[in-house]
Amino acid sequence: MKKLITILLLLTLCGCQSQSTPLSDKRFCLDTIVEITLYDSNSTDILNHCFDICNDLELVFSSTNEKSELYKINHSINKLQEQMISDDLYAVIKEGLKYSELSKGQFDITIGSISALWDFKKELPELPQQDMIQENLQNVSYQNIILTPNKITYLNENTMIDLGAIAKGYIADQIKNYLLKENVKSALINLGGNILCVGKKQENPFIIGVTNPQQTSDSLFSLKINDLSVVTSGTYQRFFKIDSKRYHHILNPKTGYSYENGLSSVTIISKKSIQGDALSTVCFSLGKEKGLELLNSLEGVSGCFIDENNQVSYSKSFKHYLNKD
């Protein structure tokens, strides 16, 4: 699964009017802590169904769970033949291929055979064997995937799709769609740091803090957000050190190792969380200059880049969201 994003939520109470008690729950799923808060509903059935959506879609997108749909097509003995896939899996792979193409392969959803070599949870971490990385690099290319509506064909039997950099955004969007159908118009969806705000926090904007990469228990600054997604990719989220060198989970599909481009994190504000989820990794992969150029060319998205010295660079419209209170 993708990066475990640490974004601090600074949810302040408004003293000028009374507010009903929000309904909130926190559970472990999607390989992270998921927290969902409803501000204008007291329905535990609605809240529980949000977590059902997480669990159901995890069994679509997980690259490590042998019961998941993605795992099964990745490991099918017939993967060089056309396979049928669900609407959800088709939609996310389609988006993943779009952003793979947009970045010219700097971001690539077929990095699965490389990402499987890295274990960032291991108590005593170790580097993958270099010969294994070199062997599997030849299997990484989004052009090895032929996708048509609800059908997929692999051109290389050793190519593996990993949707960890995009799936949580899609899941957050599906939860929001469900909440809106249930007439919930004020909610906060936090999928391990992938933040999606539904409407306003009652009558006030949500205040979302962006993590300080140098001191992850603090926020470097905060944002005023209404009905938008905030997603960050950072080197501090999943990493280990060997011989004083940091290896993080944002892997370069050209080398098989962590990106080394002077960046600590990229934060994206967007309407759809799947877009922010993908672009946060895409822009990190491109580096500050090309990432900013890309963001400034796109409609409806904003971003900021924090480098290893905690210097912040903003896209054109990002400062509009800065909380100056």
Side-chain angles (χ1 to χ4, degrees), residues 117-120 122 124-133 240-243 245-248 251 256-258:
L117 301 176
W118 291 83
D119 187 351
F120 292 95
K122 200 169 183 179
L124 296 175
E126 56 186 3
L127 292 176
Q129 295 180 12
Q130 188 172 5
D131 61 339
M132 291 298 295
I133 288 180
F240 57 73
K241 287 185 177 181
I242 294 180
D243 296 331
K245 183 177 176 63
R246 178 192 291 250
Y247 297 88
H248 59 80
L251 301 174
Y257 290 89
S258 307

Side-chain angles (χ1 to χ4, degrees), residues 24-44:
S24 184
D25 199 1
K26 184 187 299 185
R27 304 180 192 177
F28 186 83
C29 49
L30 306 177
D31 200 31
T32 189
I33 300 297
V34 170
E35 184 170 14
I36 299 171
T37 304
L38 312 181
Y39 289 92
D40 62 350
S41 173
N42 59 5
S43 172
T44 55

Side-chain angles (χ1 to χ4, degrees), residues 6 71 93 100 120 201 236 291-292 321 324:
T6 308
Y71 185 94
I93 292 177
S100 298
F120 292 95
K201 188 190 171 193
Y236 55 85
L292 280 171
Y321 301 100
K324 299 177 182 178

Side-chain angles (χ1 to χ4, degrees), residues 76-100:
S76 170
I77 59 173
N78 299 316
K79 67 188 299 183
L80 296 181
Q81 301 174 18
E82 191 174 75
Q83 300 181 79
M84 297 296 297
I85 56 176
S86 66
D87 290 343
D88 291 313
L89 189 56
Y90 169 73
V92 175
I93 292 177
K94 182 180 179 181
E95 285 295 291
L97 291 175
K98 179 179 81 172
Y99 286 105
S100 298

Side-chain angles (χ1 to χ4, degrees), residues 15-294:
C16 59
Q17 63 185 49
S18 62
Q19 295 184 346
S20 59
T21 302
L23 180 64
S24 184
D25 199 1
K26 184 187 299 185
R27 304 180 192 177
F28 186 83
C29 49
L30 306 177
D31 200 31
T32 189
I33 300 297
V34 170
E35 184 170 14
I36 299 171
T37 304
L38 312 181
Y39 289 92
D40 62 350
S41 173
N42 59 5
S43 172
T44 55
D45 287 342
I46 291 175
L47 188 60
N48 287 333
H49 189 70
C50 292
F51 289 98
D52 290 340
I53 293 173
C54 289
N55 293 326
D56 290 345
L57 290 179
E58 184 170 19
L59 285 176
V60 176
F61 302 128
S62 173
S63 61
T64 57
N65 187 329
E66 295 182 6
K67 297 180 180 179
S68 81
E69 182 181 3
L70 178 59
Y71 185 94
K72 289 175 181 177
I73 67 163
N74 267 340
H75 295 85
S76 170
I77 59 173
N78 299 316
K79 67 188 299 183
L80 296 181
Q81 301 174 18
E82 191 174 75
Q83 300 181 79
M84 297 296 297
I85 56 176
S86 66
D87 290 343
D88 291 313
L89 189 56
Y90 169 73
V92 175
I93 292 177
K94 182 180 179 181
E95 285 295 291
L97 291 175
K98 179 179 81 172
Y99 286 105
S100 298
E101 174 69 27
L102 184 66
S103 69
K104 296 181 171 56
Q106 291 296 113
F107 165 89
D108 195 319
I109 61 169
T110 65
I111 200 170
S113 61
I114 295 293
S115 57
L117 301 176
W118 291 83
D119 187 351
F120 292 95
K121 297 179 181 178
K122 200 169 183 179
E123 187 174 348
L124 296 175
E126 56 186 3
L127 292 176
Q129 295 180 12
Q130 188 172 5
D131 61 339
M132 291 298 295
I133 288 180
Q134 293 304 315
E135 179 181 335
N136 281 281
L137 281 176
Q138 62 187 329
N139 304 320
V140 179
S141 173
Y142 64 94
Q143 295 177 332
N144 286 337
I145 300 299
I146 304 299
L147 189 72
T148 56
N150 296 96
K151 296 177 182 178
I152 188 171
T153 305
Y154 292 72
L155 301 182
N156 179 332
E157 64 181 358
N158 296 314
T159 293
M160 299 287 177
I161 293 174
D162 184 339
L163 299 174
I166 194 169
K168 281 199 295 183
Y170 179 84
I171 295 170
D173 289 332
Q174 297 309 301
I175 294 172
K176 178 178 180 179
N177 291 342
Y178 165 71
L179 290 176
L180 292 175
K181 288 178 183 178
E182 296 296 326
N183 206 34
V184 175
K185 299 177 181 178
S186 179
L188 188 71
I189 302 163
N190 179 1
L191 305 188
N194 280 47
I195 307 300
L196 181 56
C197 301
V198 180
K200 297 181 178 181
K201 188 190 171 193
Q202 296 175 319
E203 298 303 319
N204 305 297
F206 289 95
I207 307 300
I208 308 298
V210 176
T211 299
N212 179 348
Q214 306 296 331
Q215 186 62 48
T216 57
S217 59
D218 297 328
S219 58
L220 198 58
F221 53 86
S222 61
L223 307 169
K224 286 188 175 182
I225 300 295
N226 293 321
D227 205 38
L228 294 170
S229 166
V230 180
V231 182
T232 297
S233 289
T235 62
Y236 55 85
Q237 292 151 356
R238 280 192 291 153
F239 69 93
F240 57 73
K241 287 185 177 181
I242 294 180
D243 296 331
S244 300
K245 183 177 176 63
R246 178 192 291 250
Y247 297 88
H248 59 80
H249 75 288
I250 308 176
L251 301 174
N252 184 339
K254 308 298 184 185
T255 68
Y257 290 89
S258 307
Y259 271 102
E260 297 182 64
N261 56 16
L263 289 175
S264 290
S265 70
V266 175
T267 296
I268 302 294
I269 301 173
S270 58
K271 185 66 175 179
K272 294 289 187 181
S273 191
I274 190 172
Q275 186 179 29
D277 208 2
L279 281 174
S280 64
T281 306
V282 166
C283 289
F284 190 103
S285 302
L286 291 174
K288 185 178 74 172
E289 291 184 7
K290 290 184 178 180
L292 280 171
E293 183 180 347
L294 173 62

